[in-house]
Amino acid sequence: MSSSCCSTNARDNDQTRPAAMPPQAGHLLKPRSDDPAECPVMTGRQVVKADAEATGLFRDYEGNRYWFCCAGCGPLFDSDPTRYATLA
């Protein structure tokens, strides 16, 4: 088994535990534009927002933005946006 910070062995070894996050690193917890989203059409499929926006795989509906996992999801969303928006 590897001794990475996520392995069981590493958790038992105080020397491999990560240090507490310094206060100046708080900005790392803020949402970013490339945060993942779930596709409202193919539920369970994760989408990187920035990638979807760069390729036009998103729609704005009733003040919310929805990101899609593939080109086929946009037209399906367009056919019944209320249905898919409530699933998201």
Side-chain angles (χ1 to χ4, degrees):
M1 178 177 269
S2 103
S3 62
S4 73
C5 65
C6 298
S7 72
T8 305
N9 292 341
R11 279 186 234 128
D12 296 333
N13 183 349
D14 286 335
Q15 294 175 343
T16 59
R17 290 186 188 195
M21 186 175 70
Q24 67 271 25
H27 71 281
L28 297 173
L29 299 177
K30 293 181 182 174
R32 302 177 321 199
S33 63
D34 64 343
D35 283 340
E38 185 176 328
C39 178
V41 178
M42 299 288 289
T43 55
R45 300 279 312 261
Q46 292 295 304
V47 179
V48 175
K49 293 176 183 179
D51 293 345
E53 290 180 8
T55 56
L57 297 176
F58 69 95
R59 298 290 190 277
D60 293 320
Y61 177 71
E62 292 187 347
N64 294 306
R65 179 158 284 185
Y66 300 91
W67 298 267
F68 307 119
C69 63
C70 67
C73 290
L76 289 171
F77 184 89
D78 294 340
S79 70
D80 193 356
T82 302
R83 171 185 173 200
Y84 295 111
T86 56
L87 293 175

